[in-house]
């Protein structure tokens, strides 16, 4: 969905310690390779087609077992009062990037991406159409994913976003 500007910070904040505790409680096996096989990127599927172990975008979206085991993540998602599509935790390894791209397939025609940072550092930069922001832990952001965007984690720690 095209938006009038690259980024919107929403007027909400979430409990960072509760977010981190649930993310840290996930088993290591929950983390899978990013669906586009981008080096240094991994994900935990939270909502997927039929709640399964997939990255599909067509079909009935349901919570995965990982989301079912994460009551605060469910509360955060429910607080927006919307119908969710494919949702994940995304982890960016130290020194890794998400290369510049745009999400212009049909799935994104009527949808936006919401980011709630869980683990981050001030040096982590999110770039979109010539604008750069740092998304702070516990904040909520929407961005125009039809515009060219990328992420850079120059730190020695991982970055995790819902």
């Amino acid at each position: 969905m095209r938006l009038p500007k690259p980024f919107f910070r929403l007027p909400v904040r979430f409990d960072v310690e509760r977010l981190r505790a649930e993310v840290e409680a996930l088993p290591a096996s929950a983390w899978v390779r990013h669906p586009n096989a981008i080096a240094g990127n991994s994900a935990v599927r939270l909502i997927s087609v039929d709640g399964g172990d997939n990255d599909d975008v067509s079909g009935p979206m349901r919570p995965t077992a990982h989301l079912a085991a994460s009551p605060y993540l469910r509360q955060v998602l429910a607080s927006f009062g919307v119908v969710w599509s494919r949702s994940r935790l995304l982890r960016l390894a130290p020194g890794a990037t998400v290369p510049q791209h745009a999400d212009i397939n049909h799935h994104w025609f009527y949808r936006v991406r919401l980011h709630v940072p869980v683990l981050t550092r001030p040096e982590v930069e999110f770039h979109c159409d010539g604008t750069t922001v740092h998304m702070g832990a516990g904040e909520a952001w929407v961005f125009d994913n039809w515009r060219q965007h990328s992420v850079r984690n120059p730190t020695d720690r991982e970055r995790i976003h819902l």
Side-chain angles (χ1 to χ4, degrees):
M1 173 180 289
R2 294 289 300 175
L3 300 175
K5 63 182 187 176
F7 293 103
F8 291 87
R9 182 175 169 202
L10 303 180
V12 295
R13 282 195 67 80
F14 298 100
D15 185 328
V16 175
E17 294 311 314
R18 288 178 74 188
L19 288 167
R20 287 181 183 162
E22 285 194 355
V23 168
E24 290 170 359
L26 292 166
S29 61
W31 292 96
V32 297
R33 191 168 111 173
H34 187 278
N36 295 336
I38 301 170
N41 286 251
S42 54
V44 173
R45 298 173 181 114
L46 299 175
I47 297 173
S48 64
V49 171
D50 290 322
D53 198 20
N54 63 71
D55 295 301
D56 299 339
V57 292
S58 295
M61 295 289 170
R62 295 194 172 88
T64 66
H66 302 302
L67 183 57
S70 305
Y72 190 60
L73 290 175
R74 290 195 319 268
Q75 183 180 337
V76 168
L77 293 173
S79 73
F80 290 95
V82 299
V83 175
W84 290 99
S85 181
R86 183 179 72 180
S87 300
R88 304 175 286 202
L89 290 167
L90 294 173
R91 180 172 62 185
L92 189 58
T97 62
V98 175
Q100 188 170 11
H101 68 285
D103 304 319
I104 57 172
N105 62 45
H106 181 71
H107 179 76
W108 294 108
F109 191 74
Y110 293 109
R111 295 173 176 92
V112 295
R113 284 212 167 155
L114 172 76
H115 280 253
V116 176
V118 177
L119 297 172
T120 189
R121 309 277 301 160
E123 301 86 358
V124 175
E125 299 174 335
F126 203 115
H127 306 274
C128 184
D129 198 28
T131 302
T132 300
V133 299
H134 168 70
M135 298 177 178
E139 298 174 349
W141 291 78
V142 172
F143 77 98
D144 186 343
N145 51 293
W146 280 67
R147 299 176 195 236
Q148 292 290 315
H149 58 276
S150 63
V151 183
R152 185 174 153 266
N153 180 9
T155 74
D156 60 355
R157 297 195 182 158
E158 61 190 20
R159 180 223 72 172
I160 298 175
H161 278 202
L162 167 62

